[in-house]
Amino acid sequence: RFQIQRGKTDPTGYKSLGDCFRTIFQREGLLGFYKGIFPPILAETPKRAVKFFTFEQYKKLLGYASLPPGLAFAVAGLGSGLTEAVVVNPFEVVKVTLQTNRNAFTEQPSSFIQARQIIKTDGLGFQGLNKGLTATLGRHGVFNMVYFGFYFNVKNILPVNKDPNLEFLRKFGIGLVSGTIASIINIPFDVAKSRIQGPQPVPGEIKYRTCFKTMATVYKEEG
């Protein structure tokens, strides 16, 4: 919800995270927080399978290129993220459409009906079920590049601990830092994706059309 807000001038905007939670609960009920939950659940298994399978395949291919290990991990992560994005983008379009519907949870269409409506109205292309693909490619590509590159490089630098509890904390800490840094770097792509896939400011008029143009518009208007 925060990502689709259009600055302080947005009449439907939220003042803070707390205000967002209160408003959703008051207007849409507890289930309002779970809008669009079904598409991510459906996408989760193929998404994870594609991410880790393609990462290993790209890593093997890059082994023939004699790249430094650190760079190879990052490039393999980029490739796995781009592949993952192609699989997950249609689910993201349906999810964002459902989440931006401010009616009560029981009043909004199901995921399948929403997907069918998008296909019927706008088709399967870049204005329909694959809208915002470039931004999704950026989001997943950048995240996986930073995440895998940082995780495996730091994991190889920090010595393995013989104590299983400390070894768990070592891996958990590296994963936590990797995910945090990757999220901070890729969030502009995520905002652009939400703006493109979400409702446009003026009905019938497309303001947020492409990834980098959307980023430039958001930066110019909102900082």
Side-chain angles (χ1 to χ4, degrees), residues 11-14 37 40 46-47 57-58 72 93 113 115 117 146 192 204 208 210 213:
T12 60
Y14 303 103
I37 187 65
K47 169 185 168 184
Q57 299 311 306
Y58 288 130
V93 172
I113 291 175
Q117 181 61 40
V146 175
Y208 303 112
T210 62
K213 189 175 179 181

Side-chain angles (χ1 to χ4, degrees), residues 153-166:
N153 279 291
V154 174
K155 188 166 76 74
N156 291 335
I157 292 171
L158 296 179
V160 176
N161 204 299
K162 294 180 180 179
D163 185 324
N165 292 324
L166 292 176

Side-chain angles (χ1 to χ4, degrees), residues 2-37:
F2 271 111
Q3 289 179 342
I4 62 166
Q5 288 189 178
R6 296 172 287 280
K8 296 178 181 178
T9 58
D10 188 348
T12 60
Y14 303 103
K15 298 183 180 77
S16 65
L17 183 61
D19 177 58
C20 180
F21 271 85
R22 280 192 303 273
T23 304
I24 291 174
F25 182 73
Q26 289 168 1
R27 293 181 182 174
E28 304 167 39
L30 183 63
L31 291 176
F33 296 110
Y34 294 92
K35 285 182 174 180
I37 187 65

Side-chain angles (χ1 to χ4, degrees), residues 95-114:
K95 182 195 76 170
V96 171
T97 305
L98 291 171
Q99 289 178 340
T100 53
N101 184 331
R102 302 203 181 197
N103 294 329
F105 185 89
T106 53
E107 295 174 359
Q108 72 171 28
S110 69
S111 298
F112 291 109
I113 291 175
Q114 186 67 70

Side-chain angles (χ1 to χ4, degrees), residues 20-92:
C20 180
F21 271 85
R22 280 192 303 273
T23 304
I24 291 174
F25 182 73
Q26 289 168 1
R27 293 181 182 174
E28 304 167 39
L30 183 63
L31 291 176
F33 296 110
Y34 294 92
K35 285 182 174 180
I37 187 65
F38 197 49
I41 290 174
L42 285 178
E44 196 60 29
T45 299
K47 169 185 168 184
R48 298 295 174 189
V50 167
K51 177 195 288 244
F52 290 104
F53 174 76
T54 56
F55 175 73
E56 292 300 326
Q57 299 311 306
Y58 288 130
K59 195 169 65 172
K60 286 179 185 176
L61 288 173
L62 290 166
Y64 298 109
S66 301
L67 292 175
L71 181 60
F73 285 131
V75 175
L78 174 63
S80 72
L82 295 175
T83 310
E84 176 191 25
V86 175
V87 174
V88 82
N89 192 67
F91 296 94
E92 286 289 317

Side-chain angles (χ1 to χ4, degrees), residues 99-173:
Q99 289 178 340
T100 53
N101 184 331
R102 302 203 181 197
N103 294 329
F105 185 89
T106 53
E107 295 174 359
Q108 72 171 28
S110 69
S111 298
F112 291 109
I113 291 175
Q114 186 67 70
R116 195 161 57 237
Q117 181 61 40
I118 292 170
I119 294 170
K120 182 180 177 181
T121 305
D122 300 306
L124 295 168
F126 297 131
Q127 297 303 317
L129 208 57
N130 273 291
K131 182 164 57 174
L133 177 61
T134 307
T136 306
L137 288 168
R139 183 181 78 159
H140 287 268
V142 169
F143 181 91
N144 285 356
M145 179 179 68
V146 175
Y147 180 85
F148 283 116
F150 186 92
Y151 181 84
F152 283 104
N153 279 291
V154 174
K155 188 166 76 74
N156 291 335
I157 292 171
L158 296 179
V160 176
N161 204 299
K162 294 180 180 179
D163 185 324
N165 292 324
L166 292 176
E167 176 61 11
F168 168 77
L169 289 175
R170 180 184 80 97
K171 290 181 178 177
F172 178 81

Side-chain angles (χ1 to χ4, degrees), residues 7 191 195 214-223:
V191 171
R195 295 291 179 96
T214 298
M215 283 185 182
T217 301
V218 172
Y219 175 76
K220 182 180 178 181
E221 295 181 354
E222 303 167 39

